[in-house]
Structures are given as structure tokens and as C-alpha cells.
């Protein structure tokens, strides 16, 4: 059986990039795979977090996944800290991964900024915990946005190194699934930066909690260039903001960038933006409404997470026991 694992950090401000790059694909993959989806709260504390906010963001992330169509009953949805096996396997992987491998990780460089000495050790070993999340379930496929490609390559190196260090064929060589026309949604204010939860400008992203008016306003204000839309994809080269908006439209409408160019070639951005806003509102409004309804029922959301955690743990513990046996730990 092919098995999916993927996670999202409960760091607030879930946005259109998270939705198009990850969540929507997760929903669709449920038809063909056994799916395990995780709100990765252990990852969230690699940056300073306020406890009450973390708890609220964990519920909000879970509510948004459920609202988008993740089925927490036939599949598994849980928050990471409820299954301690993730942290145990991460420790083993910390002893497999090499400093040189982690030193190359661009996400650490970006997130630690100019003051690397002040970054948490957790932020540095973020990718080994991510490898543990996935390999703890021997997942075969991981749907993510483009920004996670490097971490997944590291995960494959860890799996291969573990297998060769212990002379076993234990871990599968998991495949990334980077799907669709919006694998890297960019900021609405600057086409060279990724749309991100932590961007200081709220106008840089469309949040899943935004009202239709806010969505329309943000799209209207999105940066573009003075040229009209090109009639062919080639005409998007060197125009990152135009390329981003066309990619978002294509992804929302489930068509290709080329189709968008054929349809809007020669149109002004202001006409295109009106249609883009209508499409974004149509797609996101039902999800936002359902998310709000679920957030008013935290008991229901908590129940899904704790039931999911129990089922995840049942899958993880026998695999972790085998790993401990391979490593040579004496077990009860
Ligand atoms: N801009 C994006 N375009 C496409 N996919 C994206 N993802 C994130 N941003 C984009 C994908 O969403 C999933 C969950 O991401 P995450 O919450 O684990 O963390 P992140 O990648 O660190 O998200 P942000 O918004 O960039 O957060 P901050 O600002 O805190 O760094 C992943 O599959 C990711 O690829």
C-alpha cells in the first residue's frame, strides 16, 4: 500500500500558498493513498512561540485541514507532540545525519538570519525531525510545496545512510510529490519572495481566514508590471509578479498557465485581477466558513486530533520497536 505522510506547522496565518502548494493536494490524494496528516507542533517551537498562541494555532491548522476536506476519520489527522515516537526517532537520526548535510540547508540559513548563534538547536535539526515524521510510518510519498524539496533530499540521504550503516533494507526511499501549477506561490508584494506566514506585511499573502473583501483588496493591490498579460507562457519570463498571478489563477481554475495566457493574452491586469479575485473568493469562502464553524467547536477538533494520535501511535510503535532492535537498544 502506498502511504502518504505530510505536515503543516501551526504558526498561524495559513495562506493560499499552503493551500495550493500542499493542502489541496492532500485532499485529492486521499482517494488513492492511505494518508497521515500532521500538525507539526514540535517543529513550531523551533522558533519562539507563545504557549496559548501555539495551542490556538494548532486547533486552527487542524480546523483548516478539516474544512478543506481532510477526512480525519477514514484517514489520520493528529498533532505531532501527541506521538512521542517522532522525537525518539529524530534523536536516532541526529546520530545518522552529518553536520555538513545540515549546514547546506537553505531554510535554516533563511530563518536563522544574521544571528546564527542565537538560533535554536531545534531549528538546526528541523530536517532530521522532518525525516523522522515521514520514516516513522515508512511513508512512500510526501506531498509538499517546492520549498521542501531540499529537506526531502536530506531525508532520503538519512534513510539510505541508516540502511547502509546497519546493513538493512529497512526504510523505503520515499518520493516527494510536488504537484500542480502553484508549487511555489510568491508574495503578492514581491515576486522574488515566497508567500509566507511570517512575512511582516499582511498584504503579501491571502490568509485562509480573510473575508471576501480582504481577498479582493489584496489582489487589487498585488504588485504587477505595466505590460498587459502575454498570450503565451514564454511572455511571463522575467516577469515574476505576472507569472505568480497567472500561476495562482491556473491552479485555482485547475488549468495550465498556457490556458490562462490563451484566455487573457492582451488583457490589462486590472481586468484579470477582478476575475482572479472572484475565483479566489469562490474557492476559499466555503473553506473559511467551515473553518470558523469548526473553530467554535474546539472539543470536536481536539477529539479528531487525539483519536488520530492514538491511531498514528499504533502504526508507529511497532516500526519504532524494529528500529530500536536494529540499532541495538535493549527493550522491555
Ligand atoms: N508559498 C508557498 N507556495 C507553495 N507551497 C507552500 N508551502 C508553504 N509555503 C508555500 C507548503 O505548505 C506546506 C506547509 O508548510 P509549513 O507550514 O510546514 O511551513 P513553511 O513552508 O515554513 O510555510 P511558511 O508559510 O513559509 O511559514 P514561515 O513563514 O513560518 O516560514 C509545506 O508542504 C510547504 O511546502
Amino acid at each position: 500500500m502506498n502511504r502518504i505522510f505530510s505536515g503543516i506547522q501551526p504558526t498561524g496565518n495559513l495562506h493560499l500558498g499552503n493551500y495550493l502548494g500542499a493542502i489541496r493536494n492532500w485532499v485529492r490524494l486521499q482517494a488513492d493513498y492511505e494518508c497521515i496528516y500532521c500538525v507539526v507542533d514540535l517543529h513550531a517551537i523551533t522558533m519562539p512561540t507563545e504557549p496559548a498562541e501555539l495551542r490556538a494555532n494548532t486547533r486552527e491548522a487542524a480546523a483548516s485541514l478539516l474544512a478543506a476536506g481532510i477526512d480525519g476519520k477514514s484517514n489520520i489527522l493528529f498533532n505531532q507532540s501527541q506521538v512521542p515516537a517522532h522525537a525518539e526517532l529524530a534523536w536516532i537520526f541526529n546520530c545518522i545525519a552529518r553536520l555538513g548535510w545540515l549546514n547546506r540547508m537553505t531554510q535554516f540559513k533563511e530563518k536563522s538570519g544574521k544571528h546564527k548563534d542565537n538560533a535554536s538547536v531545534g531549528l538546526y535539526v528541523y530536517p532530521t525531525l522532518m525525516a523522522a515524521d515521514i520514516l516513522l510510518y515508512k511513508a512512500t510519498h510526501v506531498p509538499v510545496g517546492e520549498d521542501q524539496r531540499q529537506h526531502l533530499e536530506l531525508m532520503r540521504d538519512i534513510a539510505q545512510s541508516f540502511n547502509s550503516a546497519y546493513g538493512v533494507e529497512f526504510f523505503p526511499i520515499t518520493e516527494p510529490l510536488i504537484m500542480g501549477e502553484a508549487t511555489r506561490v510568491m508574495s503578492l508584494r514581491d515576486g522574488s519572495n515566497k508567500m509566507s506566514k511570517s512575512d511582516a506585511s499582511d498584504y503579501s499573502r491571502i490568509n485562509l481566514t480573510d473575508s471576501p473583501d480582504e481577498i479582493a483588496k489584496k489582489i487589487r493591490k498585488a504588485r504587477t508590471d505595466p505590460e498587459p498579460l502575454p498570450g503565451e507562457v514564454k511572455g511571463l519570463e522575467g516577469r515574476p509578479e505576472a507569472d505568480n498571478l497567472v500561476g495562482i489563477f491556473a491552479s485555482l481554475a485547475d488549468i495550465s498557465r498556457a490556458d490562462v495566457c490563451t484566455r487573457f493574452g492582451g488583457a490589462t491586469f486590472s481586468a484579470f485581477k477582478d476575475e482572479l479575485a472572484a475565483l479566489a473568493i469562490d474557492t476559499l469562502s466555503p473553506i473559511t466558513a467551515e473553518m470558523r464553524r469548526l473553530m467554535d467547536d474546539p472539543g470536536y477538533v481536539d477529539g479528531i486530533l487525539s483519536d488520530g494520535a492514538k491511531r498514528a501511535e499504533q502504526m508507529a510503535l511497532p516500526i519504532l520497536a524494529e528500529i530500536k532492535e536494529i540499532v541495538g537498544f535493549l527493550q522491555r
Side-chain angles (χ1 to χ4, degrees), residues 286-297:
I287 298 174
T288 308
E290 177 62 2
M291 204 173 142
R292 289 196 198 292
R293 192 189 68 76
L294 288 166
M295 276 154 62
D296 283 341
D297 192 356

Side-chain angles (χ1 to χ4, degrees), residues 7-9 15 17-18 21-22 111 144-145 147-148 182-185 194-198:
I8 191 157
Q9 293 192 74
H15 52 70
N18 296 129
K111 291 205 170 174
V144 283
D147 59 324
Q148 293 301 322
T183 56
R184 190 174 175 83
V185 176
K194 188 180 85 139
M195 185 177 285
S196 151
K197 301 183 196 114
S198 55

Side-chain angles (χ1 to χ4, degrees), residues 7-249:
I8 191 157
Q9 293 192 74
T11 37
N13 297 338
L14 256 61
H15 52 70
L16 187 66
N18 296 129
Y19 179 67
L20 295 177
I23 301 172
R24 194 180 62 167
N25 296 330
W26 298 4
V27 172
R28 293 177 175 182
L29 289 162
Q30 293 180 116
D32 299 313
Y33 292 83
E34 177 185 28
C35 295
I36 306 168
Y37 295 126
C38 188
V39 180
V40 291
D41 48 5
L42 297 178
H43 280 98
I45 64 164
T46 58
M47 299 292 273
T49 43
E50 209 274 302
E53 223 169 86
L54 177 62
R55 215 166 280 124
N57 286 339
T58 301
R59 289 194 178 113
E60 185 183 290
S64 67
L65 296 180
L66 293 168
I70 299 297
D71 181 342
K73 296 209 165 112
S74 53
N75 285 305
I76 292 181
L77 174 63
F78 71 108
N79 60 307
Q80 193 183 20
S81 62
Q82 291 204 53
V83 180
H86 287 249
E88 285 186 78
L89 183 55
W91 177 255
I92 294 172
F93 286 169
N94 282 340
C95 302
I96 294 283
R98 298 288 160 245
L99 286 177
W101 303 354
L102 290 170
N103 286 341
R104 286 197 289 274
M105 294 298 111
T106 53
Q107 183 173 295
F108 176 77
K109 289 180 196 163
E110 283 161 17
K111 291 205 170 174
S112 59
K114 291 195 186 106
H115 306 289
K116 297 210 172 1
D117 288 353
N118 284 338
S120 72
V121 175
L123 185 66
Y124 188 67
V125 293
Y126 184 113
T128 59
L129 177 58
M130 183 167 157
D133 297 337
I134 297 160
L135 294 171
L136 183 59
Y137 302 94
K138 291 188 160 183
T140 53
H141 295 83
V142 189
V144 283
E146 181 64 45
D147 59 324
Q148 293 301 322
R149 188 185 286 281
Q150 194 186 34
H151 286 164
L152 292 184
E153 278 163 15
L154 185 89
M155 172 209 61
R156 288 158 64 100
D157 288 343
I158 291 174
Q160 265 160 344
S161 271
F162 180 96
N163 286 350
S164 87
Y166 291 104
V168 290
E169 286 299 322
F170 187 75
F171 287 120
I173 303 306
T174 309
E175 293 294 332
L177 289 177
I178 299 177
M179 304 157 60
E181 287 281 352
T183 56
R184 190 174 175 83
V185 176
M186 308 307 277
S187 156
L188 298 181
R189 306 303 284 167
D190 176 356
S192 59
N193 282 335
K194 188 180 85 139
M195 185 177 285
S196 151
K197 301 183 196 114
S198 55
D199 195 314
S201 164
D202 198 50
Y203 277 94
S204 68
R205 65 182 160 260
I206 293 175
N207 300 306
L208 298 189
T209 48
D210 283 344
S211 67
D213 281 353
E214 285 167 322
I215 295 175
K217 195 163 165 198
K218 287 178 177 181
I219 291 179
R220 241 188 350 261
K221 282 180 170 286
R223 190 162 149 188
T224 46
D225 56 47
E227 302 297 316
L229 274 101
E232 289 179 29
V233 174
K234 215 163 61 278
L236 293 168
E237 276 168 26
R239 300 176 65 187
E241 284 85 14
D243 183 54
N244 190 36
L245 294 185
V246 167
I248 292 174
F249 192 104

